Amino acid sequence: MRLLTDQFPASDFTPLALIVALPLLGALLNGLFGKRLGKSAVTLMALVAVGGSFLAAVAAFVAIAGAPQALVLSWQGWQWFAASGRIGQAIPID
């Protein structure tokens, strides 16, 4: 546990980005260079991408599960629509 907290501090969400980025990178590389690499290299790259993503997911799970306080992870990229309040009041729409 200490090794994970040293590698990924509580304020750093790198494993969460790796969970998404590794399969996307593997798919991009296989799509662009797949014919030149050959079938065995494409298979290996796909397995490494998905396996790396799995390991990052396990590391993120262990880091979050071992946290001393309850963590709430939320991310809002943008607000498309919000409606609240009484009729006639201004409603923000981003």
Side-chain angles (χ1 to χ4, degrees), residues 12-67:
D12 186 17
F13 298 106
T14 304
L16 299 179
L18 287 176
I19 293 168
V20 175
L22 284 176
L24 290 175
L25 181 64
L28 178 71
L29 291 176
N30 279 339
L32 292 176
F33 305 111
K35 286 204 177 225
R36 290 183 224 155
L37 293 174
K39 187 173 182 174
S40 61
V42 168
T43 303
L44 179 65
M45 186 173 302
L47 289 173
V48 167
V50 173
S53 178
F54 173 73
L55 291 177
V58 169
F61 177 78
V62 169
I64 289 172

